[in-house]
């Protein structure tokens, strides 16, 4: 049997980390088994679903590299399919029309609460002698009153539910729209889904869905419920733990490879290995190695992993990726050898593309801003003769390369009886505006002769 799995987000907001982890597990499972990964948009919540959210979900999936084989299907396009199945269930006696109004049901629910009981639909309309279609009605599934429902979960083993705890629940509302559980089952059945891999918050839905499968005489797929993602304080992951949407991580300068790698390891493991290529994830991913315990989201680990990818991806790719971040800062650049050199010299210290873009400012702006403390400490009268001597020597330099610059600095330090740091730090402040940068000779080589002399001259004016 060919594996067919699906990812079915609701477009009621941004695509969040928990949903993305579910998508990754489904995608890896499908690719590992050479199966199909289906994308379905569950947009029957008409009050909250938006086109903007759908567009954002698709954009996030593409950015992460989670390509789908079929879809995206939209539940709102399939209403006639759900309605035809609900009518078939009525015809075979597995479902019935319910004329109880919301007001009546609410009054009964409140009455049960006063008695300290959980309300369960009494089956008022279950055995009506002469049901009519002249008045509004919902459709309820006829459920068993005794026995149990077993869920065979590939991660958690057998989970047993008491049938008497499940009342005749609604499968189609009075407006003709299906309820969540009914639409999901019809979709999964008609799309031949073999494995349903989803969050453990859906465990409570599973017995109802099994009853619908049985009523439809459809084969029940294999279920696998993955654990919840917790914050560092062991509470359910939320905005107070930091960003929870994929778009936010992209805007903060995270790489899709880092995010996929990190999320794949939340609840799944393969020995002690931490870093995986996408192909390695596909080859090694199995549900047997998905844990039952909640996974803890560690932002420091994600940051470390992102830095690793920034350092190890080809410099040309990283250079191309930081261009949009530079443009946001008002710096217009093109992908060229100079930008690649800048990335190469700076990326050892950068953990995000935003950090990398910010640290490259002094290479790309016309005029650097001096950090006040650095200016006071290093742009002093003592630095004047050093800057003047450097300008004189650099002006006649034909090859503006690291070896030549090292030679000039060596000659000046020897002549003046100074240590290299006594020259390098004032020059660093003059060229970059601050006291921290990569090697001063590499910085000078990338800036170029004209820009270096121009900034040294400005520093002299600042001192004078």
């Amino acid at each position: 049997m060919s594996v067919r799995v699906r990812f079915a987000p609701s477009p009621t907001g941004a695509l969040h980390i928990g949903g993305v982890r579910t998508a990754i597990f489904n995608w890896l499972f499908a690719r590992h088994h050479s199966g199909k990964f289906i994308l379905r948009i569950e947009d029957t919540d008409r009050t909250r679903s938006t086109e903007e959210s759908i567009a954002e979900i698709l954009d996030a999936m593409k950015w992460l590299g989670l390509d789908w084989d079929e879809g995206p299907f939209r539940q709102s396009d399939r209403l006639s399919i759900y309605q035809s199945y609900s009518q078939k269930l009525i015809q075979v006696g597995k479902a019935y029309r319910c004329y109880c109004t919301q007001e009546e049901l609410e009054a009964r629910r409140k009455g049960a609460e006063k008695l300290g009981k959980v309300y369960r639909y009494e089956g008022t309309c279950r055995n009506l002698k002469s049901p009519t279609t002249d008045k509004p009605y919902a459709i309820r599934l006829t459920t068993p009153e005794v026995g149990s429902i077993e869920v065979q979960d590939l991660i958690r083993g057998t989970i047993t539910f008491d049938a008497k705890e499940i009342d005749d629940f609604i499968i189609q509302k009075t407006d003709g729209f299906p309820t969540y559980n009914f639409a999901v089952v019809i979709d999964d059945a008609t799309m031949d889904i073999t494995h349903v891999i989803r969050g453990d918050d859906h465990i409570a839905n599973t017995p109802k869905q099994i009853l619908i499968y049985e009523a439809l005489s459809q084969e029940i797929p294999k279920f696998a419920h993955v654990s919840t993602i917790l914050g560092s304080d062991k509470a359910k992951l939320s905005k107070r733990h930091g960003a929870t949407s994929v778009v936010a991580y992209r805007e903060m300068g995270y790489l899709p490879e880092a995010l996929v790698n990190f999320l794949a390891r939340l609840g799944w493991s393969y020995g002690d290995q931490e870093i995986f290529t996408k192909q390695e994830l596909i080859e090694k991913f199995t549900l047997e190695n998905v844990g039952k315990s909640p996974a803890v989201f560690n932002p420091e680990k994600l940051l470390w992993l992102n830095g690793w990818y920034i350092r190890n991806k080809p410099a040309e790719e990283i250079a191309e990726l930081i261009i949009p971040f530079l443009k946001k800062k008002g710096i217009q650049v093109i992908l060229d050898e100079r930008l690649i050199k800048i990335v190469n010299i700076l990326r050892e210290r950068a953990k995000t593309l935003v950090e990398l873009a910010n640290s490259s400012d002094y290479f790309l702006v016309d005029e650097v801003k001096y950090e006040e403390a650095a200016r006071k400490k290093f742009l002093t009268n003592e630095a004047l003769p050093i800057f003047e001597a450097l300008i004189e020597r650099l002006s006649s330099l034909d090859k503006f390369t690291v070896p030549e610059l090292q030679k000039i600095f060596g000659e000046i330090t020897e002549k003046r009886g100074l240590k290299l740091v006594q020259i390098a730090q004032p020059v660093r402040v003059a060229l970059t505006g601050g006291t921290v940068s990569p090697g001063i000779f590499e910085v000078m080589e990338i800036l170029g002769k004209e820009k270096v002399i121009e900034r040294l001259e400005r520093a002299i004016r600042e001192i004078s």
Side-chain angles (χ1 to χ4, degrees):
M1 179 176 57
S2 177
V3 164
R4 290 175 62 83
V5 296
R6 47 70 165 182
F7 175 54
S10 298
T12 55
L15 185 56
H16 286 180
I17 290 301
V20 174
R21 198 266 305 260
T22 299
I24 290 168
F25 281 9
N26 275 279
W27 187 86
L28 290 174
F29 188 78
R31 297 291 173 257
H32 179 84
H33 292 282
S34 301
K36 299 294 183 184
F37 176 67
I38 293 121
L39 180 60
R40 187 171 75 223
I41 306 296
E42 298 189 341
D43 62 343
T44 52
D45 187 338
R46 293 178 295 170
T47 57
R48 297 173 62 216
S49 297
T50 66
E51 291 299 320
E52 291 77 14
S53 289
I54 293 173
E56 189 176 306
I57 287 168
L58 299 182
D59 187 39
M61 294 286 286
K62 289 172 186 173
W63 178 67
L64 291 166
L66 302 178
D67 56 321
W68 51 91
D69 303 297
E70 297 175 21
F73 299 106
R74 292 173 63 153
Q75 285 186 332
S76 57
D77 295 333
R78 297 167 56 81
L79 293 179
S80 61
I81 297 173
Y82 308 133
Q83 289 166 356
S84 69
Y85 274 94
S86 62
Q87 292 300 324
K88 284 178 185 175
L89 288 176
I90 291 175
Q91 291 167 12
V92 297
K94 300 289 182 67
Y96 59 91
R97 298 180 183 89
C98 176
Y99 304 95
C100 300
T101 66
Q102 286 293 327
E103 292 76 17
E104 290 170 338
L105 293 171
E106 186 59 29
R108 295 177 204 168
R109 190 172 289 109
K110 286 181 178 177
E113 284 177 6
K114 286 180 181 178
L115 297 173
K117 296 180 179 178
V118 176
Y119 177 68
R120 184 176 184 272
Y121 182 69
E122 313 89 332
T124 306
C125 299
R126 186 171 187 166
N127 299 309
L128 286 178
K129 298 281 193 236
S130 53
T132 175
T133 57
D134 295 339
K135 54 190 289 191
Y137 63 88
I139 298 177
R140 290 182 183 270
L141 190 75
T142 305
T143 61
E145 296 178 321
V146 294
S148 61
I149 302 150
E150 285 191 350
V151 178
Q152 302 298 332
D153 193 286
L154 295 175
I155 294 172
R156 298 165 189 280
T158 302
I159 307 171
T160 304
F161 295 86
D162 193 335
K164 70 180 181 183
E165 298 300 322
I166 301 173
D167 61 5
D168 291 355
F169 56 90
I170 293 172
I171 58 174
Q172 183 177 300
K173 294 173 278 189
T174 54
D175 60 5
F177 272 68
T179 56
Y180 167 78
N181 283 315
F182 190 63
V184 164
V185 170
I186 299 302
D187 288 338
D188 287 346
T190 56
M191 294 177 187
D192 298 319
I193 299 302
T194 60
H195 296 74
V196 174
I197 304 168
R198 59 189 179 186
D200 60 8
D201 53 328
H202 286 287
I203 288 176
N205 290 322
T206 310
K208 291 184 177 182
Q209 292 173 9
I210 287 175
L211 291 176
I212 297 170
Y213 277 107
E214 290 174 345
L216 293 167
S217 298
Q218 290 281 347
E219 187 173 349
I220 299 168
K222 292 178 169 61
F223 292 99
H225 291 94
V226 300
S227 63
T228 304
I229 299 177
L230 304 179
S232 54
D233 59 357
K234 304 298 171 31
K236 189 173 180 181
L237 190 67
S238 66
K239 288 182 179 179
R240 65 191 174 86
H241 297 108
T244 57
S245 80
V246 175
V247 171
Y249 282 97
R250 180 168 64 177
E251 290 174 349
M252 289 190 295
Y254 285 80
L255 300 178
E257 299 94 328
L259 200 55
V260 168
N261 190 155
F262 175 76
L263 291 175
R265 286 281 290 106
L266 277 185
W268 171 81
S269 62
Y270 188 83
D272 295 327
Q273 188 172 342
E274 292 286 353
I275 298 170
F276 297 82
T277 65
K278 195 170 276 188
Q279 191 54 44
E280 284 179 314
L281 286 172
I282 290 169
E283 289 170 4
K284 301 179 189 309
F285 183 83
T286 62
L287 290 175
E288 285 78 10
N289 286 335
V290 174
K292 300 176 186 178
S293 302
V296 177
F297 188 97
N298 184 336
E300 288 78 21
K301 192 170 184 179
L302 173 56
L303 198 60
W304 168 82
L305 195 59
N306 201 59
W308 187 92
Y309 276 95
I310 286 175
R311 292 191 301 275
N312 288 279
K313 278 176 71 72
E316 186 173 351
E317 286 184 37
I318 299 298
E320 189 170 10
L321 289 171
I322 69 165
I323 290 175
F325 294 94
L326 291 168
K327 285 183 178 176
K328 279 184 183 178
K329 295 163 60 66
I331 300 173
Q332 300 298 319
V333 292
I334 59 169
L335 179 61
D336 57 12
E337 283 302 316
R338 183 166 181 266
L339 186 60
I340 293 169
K341 284 181 180 178
I342 292 170
V343 164
N344 253 330
I345 199 174
L346 293 173
R347 64 177 173 169
E348 284 301 316
R349 303 182 184 204
K351 290 186 176 138
T352 69
L353 296 175
V354 169
E355 279 185 19
L356 189 55
N358 288 340
S359 65
S360 64
D361 269 8
Y362 56 81
F363 283 113
L364 303 167
V365 296
D366 292 330
E367 190 173 278
V368 295
K369 292 180 180 177
Y370 300 125
E371 294 172 7
E372 187 56 26
R375 184 189 67 78
K376 283 184 177 179
K377 185 174 181 180
F378 292 104
L379 298 189
T380 62
N381 287 325
E382 287 77 12
L384 271 177
I386 295 171
F387 291 164
E388 289 167 348
L390 264 175
I391 290 171
E392 183 183 347
R393 294 298 310 277
L394 296 175
S395 297
S396 59
L397 197 60
D398 292 328
K399 291 182 179 179
F400 207 77
T401 61
V402 168
E404 293 297 322
L405 294 169
Q406 286 174 325
K407 190 187 300 182
I408 288 174
F409 271 69
E411 290 170 359
I412 292 175
T413 55
E414 187 177 344
K415 183 177 180 180
R416 295 179 179 273
L418 299 171
K419 294 179 180 177
L420 179 60
V421 68
Q422 291 175 286
I423 297 180
Q425 275 303 74
V427 171
R428 182 173 279 111
V429 174
L431 300 183
T432 71
T435 57
V436 178
S437 79
I440 191 65
F441 307 122
E442 289 79 5
V443 169
M444 291 174 73
E445 184 181 67
I446 293 173
L447 279 171
K449 178 178 174 179
E450 184 180 331
K451 185 66 72 176
V452 167
I453 292 173
E454 178 187 307
R455 290 186 182 179
L456 288 173
E457 288 174 342
R458 182 192 164 209
I460 289 172
R461 291 193 299 273
E462 181 74 21
I463 295 167
S464 305

